């Protein structure tokens, strides 16, 4: 039987002997069992004496337990009673019972009971997640140029203004389905002293709606159905020319395509947007003015033309720095007997929260139009402005 088992049994017997002690008492006779292991003389005297002095049951049980420990584990004994007495750390009453008397009042005042208020009813409001998100931005900008009549390089004074707004309403169920809608509106006017026919002419005119329904295929890839429709607000005119070159619904373009879309996120999400690959697309061109039919690739006397082809669209925004951003839209459509390519680039410099400057570069290729001796089928538009801007 090991020493730990013997000690455990000795402690059990001590607990039985002391079971009748009052609960409010603290007994110092047990101190030797829990203090650092020390050789006390009383236990050895009882074992070696011919007529040992018998004490109370608790003290005798403690002495017997310590003697068992001395015999079985002498290596644990680091001090003895004589050393403790020399340093004055051993109390003489260590083997006497210490009691603490607690005086109790016979009757205590009752603790006042505070009335408990009935718990307020908890209203649980369950809201359906809102997967729709609306955002937009717009600007109103002006440009003024004054040239005196005797300016050495010539030229003429003019004024121009352009207003634009982009509205987006997008749905994303955070699982598989996305539905994106973007409405773009731009309208700008300019004046020119040399134009004796028109007081104002448009220099920027666009009304375009893009809708995309996507079903996630893998990570950033989506099966996509895209609808693209666009026309303009006002008549398209030239200086000192009475002819109308374009108008509202003349032309009107409608394109419906199916394919794949890739969501772009790069440069720590500073470059975002989408790439759309639509190998099958249906194209409809409509003109309300019959006189503009041939100019837009429609047979004379007809209002519409239809064909099938392929389409690629890239719509990206790069936040180069906090104050400078670049928005670009690349659109290419071919019916395999004609091609239309547009590349819109807008650089926006945020001067303040409500003030910005814009540079717009717009090259275009359309071989369904009229051949130009200088530019061929290529066209180009550029403008810059500064003015008010706002995002929401």
């Amino acid at each position: 039987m090991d020493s730990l088992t013997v000690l455990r049994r000795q402690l059990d017997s001590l607990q039985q002997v002391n079971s009748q002690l009052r609960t409010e008492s603290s007994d110092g006779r047990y101190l030797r069992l829990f203090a650092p292991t020390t050789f006390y003389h009383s236990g050895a005297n009882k074992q070696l004496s011919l007529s040992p002095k018998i004490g109370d049951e608790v003290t005798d049980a403690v002495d017997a337990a310590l003697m068992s420990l001395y015999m079985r584990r002498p290596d644990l004994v680091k001090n003895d009673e004589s050393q403790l007495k020399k340093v004055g750390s051993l109390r003489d009453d260590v083997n006497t019972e210490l009691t603490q008397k607690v005086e109790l009042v016979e009757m205590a005042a009752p603790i006042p009971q505070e009335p408990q208020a009935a718990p307020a009813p908890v209203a649980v409001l369950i809201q359906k997640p809102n997967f729709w998100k609306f955002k937009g931005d717009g600007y109103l900008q002006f440009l003024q140029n004054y040239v005196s009549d005797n300016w050495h390089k010539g030229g003429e004074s003019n004024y121009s203004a352009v207003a634009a707004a982009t509205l987006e309403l997008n749905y994303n169920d955070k699982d598989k389905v996305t539905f994106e809608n973007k409405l773009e509106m731009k309208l700008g006017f300019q004046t020119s002293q040399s134009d004796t026919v028109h007081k104002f002419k448009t220099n920027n005119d666009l009304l375009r709606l893009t809708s995309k329904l996507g079903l996630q295929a893998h990570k950033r890839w989506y099966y996509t159905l895209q609808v693209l429709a666009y026309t303009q607000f006002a008549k398209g005119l030239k200086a000192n020319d009475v002819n109308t070159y374009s108008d509202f619904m003349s032309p009107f373009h409608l394109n419906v395509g199916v394919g794949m879309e890739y969501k772009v996120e790069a440069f720590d999400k500073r470059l975002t947007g989408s790439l759309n690959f639509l190998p099958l697309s249906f194209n409809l061109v409509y003109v309300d003015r019959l006189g503009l039919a041939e100019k837009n690739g429609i047979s004379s006397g007809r209002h519409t033309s239809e064909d099938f082809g392929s389409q690629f669209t890239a719509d990206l925004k790069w936040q180069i720095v906090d104050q400078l951003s670049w928005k670009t839209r690349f659109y290419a459509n071919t019916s395999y007997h004609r091609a239309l390519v547009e590349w819109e680039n807008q650089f926006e410099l945020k001067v303040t929260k409500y003030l910005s400057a814009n540079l717009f570069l717009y090259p275009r290729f359309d071989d369904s139009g009229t051949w130009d001796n200088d530019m061929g089928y290529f066209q180009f538009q550029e403008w810059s402005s500064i003015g008010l801007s706002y995002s929401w």
Side-chain angles (χ1 to χ4, degrees):
M1 184 179 300
D2 58 7
S3 59
L4 291 178
T5 303
V6 173
L7 285 174
R8 189 176 295 111
R9 290 184 176 180
Q10 294 288 347
L11 289 174
D12 290 342
S13 64
L14 288 174
Q15 291 176 354
Q16 293 175 2
V17 171
N18 201 41
S19 61
Q20 301 300 322
L21 291 175
R22 295 187 302 271
T23 56
E24 67 272 14
S25 300
S26 297
D27 199 334
R29 292 174 292 178
Y30 296 106
L31 173 65
R32 294 180 295 167
L33 291 176
F34 302 102
T37 308
T38 302
F39 179 78
Y40 294 97
H41 301 161
S42 59
N45 291 337
K46 292 178 182 180
Q47 295 292 330
L48 300 176
S49 176
L50 296 178
S51 57
K53 184 180 178 180
I54 304 301
D56 59 84
E57 294 182 356
V58 176
T59 302
D60 292 342
V62 171
D63 288 338
L66 288 176
M67 284 303 300
S68 177
L69 175 63
Y70 300 156
M71 298 301 293
R72 296 178 181 275
R73 293 296 305 272
D75 57 301
L76 297 178
V77 181
K78 304 299 182 181
N79 300 306
D80 59 42
E81 185 176 345
S82 300
Q83 292 176 335
L84 291 180
K85 287 182 177 181
K86 289 180 181 180
V87 298
S89 60
L90 183 65
R91 294 177 54 173
D92 295 333
D93 59 350
V94 70
N95 289 329
T96 61
E97 180 181 359
L98 301 178
T99 60
Q100 181 181 5
K101 296 183 179 181
V102 180
E103 296 182 359
L104 302 176
V105 297
E106 295 183 357
M107 182 177 297
I111 299 176
Q113 299 291 331
E114 295 183 359
Q116 295 184 354
V122 179
V124 179
L125 179 61
I126 300 176
Q127 292 184 339
K128 184 178 181 181
N130 184 11
F131 299 124
W132 291 94
K133 184 178 182 181
F134 173 79
K135 64 179 180 178
D137 61 73
Y139 56 83
L140 175 61
Q141 301 188 334
F142 304 91
L143 179 64
Q144 181 268 337
N145 179 35
Y146 172 77
V147 178
S148 64
D149 294 337
N150 62 343
W151 183 248
H152 70 288
K153 290 186 178 180
E156 63 179 359
S157 303
N158 59 75
Y159 300 90
S160 63
V162 59
T166 302
L167 306 177
E168 295 186 42
L169 181 62
N170 301 324
Y171 174 88
N172 188 342
D173 68 353
K174 308 299 182 182
D175 185 18
K176 291 290 185 181
V177 180
T178 62
F179 183 39
E180 301 175 359
N181 302 275
K182 180 165 70 172
L183 178 63
E184 300 169 88
M185 298 173 286
K186 294 180 183 178
L187 184 59
F189 292 95
Q190 68 177 11
T191 65
S192 177
Q193 292 181 348
S194 62
D195 187 358
T196 60
V197 178
H198 310 290
K199 187 175 182 179
F200 296 99
K201 300 184 298 293
T202 58
N203 61 357
N204 204 310
D205 196 350
L206 175 66
L207 177 60
R208 180 167 62 206
L209 174 65
T210 305
S211 295
K212 294 183 292 184
L213 178 63
L215 179 64
Q216 188 177 34
H218 179 68
K219 293 183 178 180
R220 297 183 182 178
W221 285 96
Y222 290 79
Y223 302 109
T224 301
L225 170 65
Q226 176 176 281
V227 177
L228 175 65
Y230 60 97
T231 183
Q232 61 189 65
F233 288 99
K235 294 180 180 180
L237 306 171
K238 290 186 178 181
N240 297 311
D241 192 338
V242 297
N243 295 320
T244 299
Y245 289 84
S246 60
D247 201 353
F248 177 72
M249 298 299 289
S250 295
F252 168 74
H253 293 265
L254 175 65
N255 178 276
V256 181
V258 292
M260 297 290 292
E261 178 185 37
Y262 179 76
K263 300 290 187 181
V264 178
E265 284 188 4
F267 304 133
D268 196 21
K269 294 187 178 181
R270 286 186 172 270
L271 177 62
T272 58
S274 62
L275 305 177
N276 288 276
F277 306 87
L278 307 175
L280 179 61
S281 65
F282 169 76
N283 306 299
L284 169 69
V285 182
Y286 169 82
V287 291
D288 185 60
R289 292 172 173 263
L290 286 176
L292 300 177
E294 294 185 11
K295 182 177 180 298
N296 290 278
I298 302 174
S299 300
S300 178
R302 295 190 58 187
H303 287 280
T304 62
S305 68
E306 307 87 14
D307 57 38
F308 290 89
S310 299
Q311 176 184 316
F312 170 75
T313 305
D315 196 343
L316 303 170
K317 179 180 179 180
W318 182 16
Q319 194 70 40
I320 303 173
V321 293
D322 292 342
Q323 293 78 24
L324 180 62
S325 65
W326 171 45
K327 295 180 181 179
T328 183
R329 174 184 176 270
F330 184 85
Y331 173 81
N333 186 290
T334 178
S335 62
Y336 307 110
H337 61 80
R338 69 165 185 84
L340 172 63
V341 179
E342 299 177 334
W343 188 19
E344 303 174 31
N345 297 274
Q346 179 182 345
F347 295 89
E348 182 181 20
L349 176 63
K350 283 281 189 180
V351 182
T352 66
K353 183 178 180 180
Y354 301 109
L355 186 65
S356 66
N358 282 275
L359 173 63
F360 189 79
L361 306 175
Y362 186 7
R364 188 175 187 271
F365 177 87
D366 185 4
D367 61 5
S368 66
T370 304
W371 173 268
D372 183 83
N373 291 329
D374 295 327
M375 300 286 293
Y377 292 119
F378 284 95
Q379 306 168 24
F380 186 76
Q381 182 187 40
E382 179 270 334
W383 56 265
S384 59
S385 61
I386 186 171
L388 302 175
S389 63
Y390 183 72
S391 300
W392 60 90

